[in-house]
Amino acid sequence: MNEPISAERGSTDSILCVRGLQKSFGSLRVLRDISLEVDKGNVVSIIGPSGSGKSTLLRCATFLEQADDGDILYDGRYALRGGVWAPRAELTQLRRRFGLVFQNFQLFPHYSVLKNITEAPILHGEDRDRVRERALALIAKMGLAGKENAYPYQLSGGQQQRVAIARALAMNPEILFFDEPTSALDPELTGEVLKVIRQLAEEKMTMVVVTHEMPFAKAVSNRVIFMADGVIVEQGDPLAVFDDPKEERTKQFLRVFER
Amino acid sequence: MSLLTMILKMSEGLGKTCAIFFLTLLFSLPLGMLVALARMSRSRVLSAVTRFFITVLRGTPLMLQLLAVTYGPYYLFGAAVSRNKLIPVVVAFSINYAAYFAEIYRGGIESIPVGQYEAAQVLGYTRFQTFVRIILPQVIKRIMPSITNEVVTLVKDTSMAFTVSYQEMFTIGKQIANSQTSFMPFVVAGVFYYVFNALVDAAMGRIEKRLDYYK
């Protein structure tokens, strides 16, 4: 009788809550009982060796990959409950709460920069002129003013990734996921992308960043999660994890980056 | 018979040649997309059945298919052979070309990286919006050279309609060649097809150029 408004609400105040996430590809267990919460305004970095399940975690959180078991909640609303997706209409709504920036940008090559950014919000019924205004502001913010009519192939990798970030931001997400946003870039171009992410962190954008850029993770995050073999080995304050790791596996991993 | 008379007589059939050509494109281009989608369907049965029909249509001569569509109803049900042969000719051509287009479409669709679908999905595009707005335009650009190839072949294949005595340009030319015991009508036909295809090439080239604004 005194149930809350909807039984589909979980009991958490964080923007994203993942509980007991399990995922296997065949006999390979990629995610083993992963739980994490992301609070508003926080930046969480996920580090770890390749194959540790970082990207799969992001893909599950963004509904691109089916998890076998566990819960995923956005703002306390279930997207995944016990390994079962919420109804399609609910997922469609929840999808609006997050954005995802891919390693390979995945811009639409046949659209101009501007259209890449504006089409989705317009398809969602937003006012054309307002979306356009917002997009132009985002383009300027990304340091790409004057590039709005360029096509992706005319841009450098770093510029393309900044367009991809603008495209995600144009949806006004509450949380933004980055899947190794600089891994496909030439080394001299990573800086410009990291700078943009850092700026977003200063503006208190909630973000989850899978990255191999250790100094960046250390400088920008509120929390660092170290994953290996599908489990969260260690997590906490970036200074603690980087400078004084408790787990042998973490020390081993970080040692590689010391040189 | 003078060369000029020959050319004029054969020109009378050009309208019908064009009718086969344009009507076949009109029906087979969209039909091919439906066939491609059926071929890629998650339903195993639909996919297998479609695949079987494609192998039949690509594995047997177009000439045979023309004869089957035109005279099959008569032999099977005793139905009268329609006097207007344009209908069976266009039906046979459209089905045959749809099978080829379907495989071109399929190749194109499967060549688009899965990340494009994922990006669209995360941005909230519906599956239909994703296909129509994101995937299809890229597919069309990629497959244009293959489509041009088929269209050029279609121009020449229209001559196959002579097997069911449809009075298009080549059929008329063949009749003249027989009655005059002359090879000249075939030379004229060759020139006609060459010019036709030069126009097709130019038109397709323009379309490809218009799609050149991105890579």
Side-chain angles (χ1 to χ4, degrees), chain A residues 108-112 116 151-152, chain B residues 116 133-135 137-138 213-214:
Chain A
F108 304 132
H110 57 306
Y111 286 169
S112 67
N116 260 286
Y151 285 88
Chain B
Q116 290 283 301
R133 291 170 181 271
I134 307 300
I135 306 302
Q138 297 185 57
Y213 68 94
Y214 72 95

Side-chain angles (χ1 to χ4, degrees), chain B residues 19-69:
Chain B
I20 302 175
F21 175 78
F22 286 111
L23 289 174
T24 299
L25 286 184
L26 180 69
F27 295 122
S28 63
L29 284 170
L31 182 62
M33 184 53 75
L34 293 181
V35 175
L37 294 177
R39 170 79 173 77
M40 291 184 294
S41 161
R42 276 183 217 160
S43 150
R44 290 246 179 97
V45 179
L46 182 58
S47 171
V49 169
T50 313
R51 193 176 186 161
F52 173 72
F53 276 107
I54 291 175
T55 58
V56 170
L57 290 166
R58 298 207 308 172
T60 61
L62 173 57
M63 197 180 283
L64 212 62
Q65 293 166 26
L66 267 169
L67 291 168
V69 173

Side-chain angles (χ1 to χ4, degrees), chain A residues 59 95 107 110 119 124, chain B residues 116 118 121 123 125 133:
Chain A
R59 291 176 58 81
R95 226 176 241 126
L107 293 178
H110 57 306
E119 189 175 68
H124 282 96
Chain B
Q116 290 283 301
E118 294 181 345
Q121 186 188 321
L123 288 166
Y125 288 69
R133 291 170 181 271

Side-chain angles (χ1 to χ4, degrees), chain A residues 59 62-64 88 92 95 98-100 102 105-111 115-116 119-120 123-124 151 153-154 167-168 171, chain B residues 113-127 129-130 132-138 141-142 212-215:
Chain A
R59 291 176 58 81
T62 52
F63 314 163
L64 292 175
R88 184 188 281 216
T92 303
R95 226 176 241 126
F98 61 77
L100 172 62
F102 295 83
F105 331 136
Q106 297 300 348
L107 293 178
F108 304 132
H110 57 306
Y111 286 169
K115 192 164 182 189
N116 260 286
E119 189 175 68
L123 286 177
H124 282 96
Y151 285 88
Y153 81 94
Q154 296 167 317
R167 180 174 71 174
M171 300 290 289
Chain B
V114 67
Q116 290 283 301
Y117 292 90
E118 294 181 345
Q121 186 188 321
V122 171
L123 288 166
Y125 288 69
T126 64
R127 284 178 57 157
Q129 287 168 340
T130 304
V132 172
R133 291 170 181 271
I134 307 300
I135 306 302
L136 197 54
Q138 297 185 57
K141 180 182 166 81
R142 287 189 190 196
D212 238 12
Y213 68 94
Y214 72 95
K215 281 186 186 127

Side-chain angles (χ1 to χ4, degrees), chain B residues 168-208:
Chain B
E168 46 74 51
M169 185 266 290
F170 188 77
T171 310
I172 297 171
K174 202 167 181 309
Q175 286 158 356
I176 299 173
N178 285 341
S179 63
Q180 306 280 314
T181 50
S182 162
F183 190 74
M184 217 41 212
F186 296 128
V187 175
V188 173
V191 172
F192 270 133
Y193 288 123
Y194 182 81
V195 173
F196 198 153
N197 263 332
L199 296 175
V200 167
D201 255 335
M204 297 304 274
R206 281 183 67 160
I207 297 175
E208 278 189 50

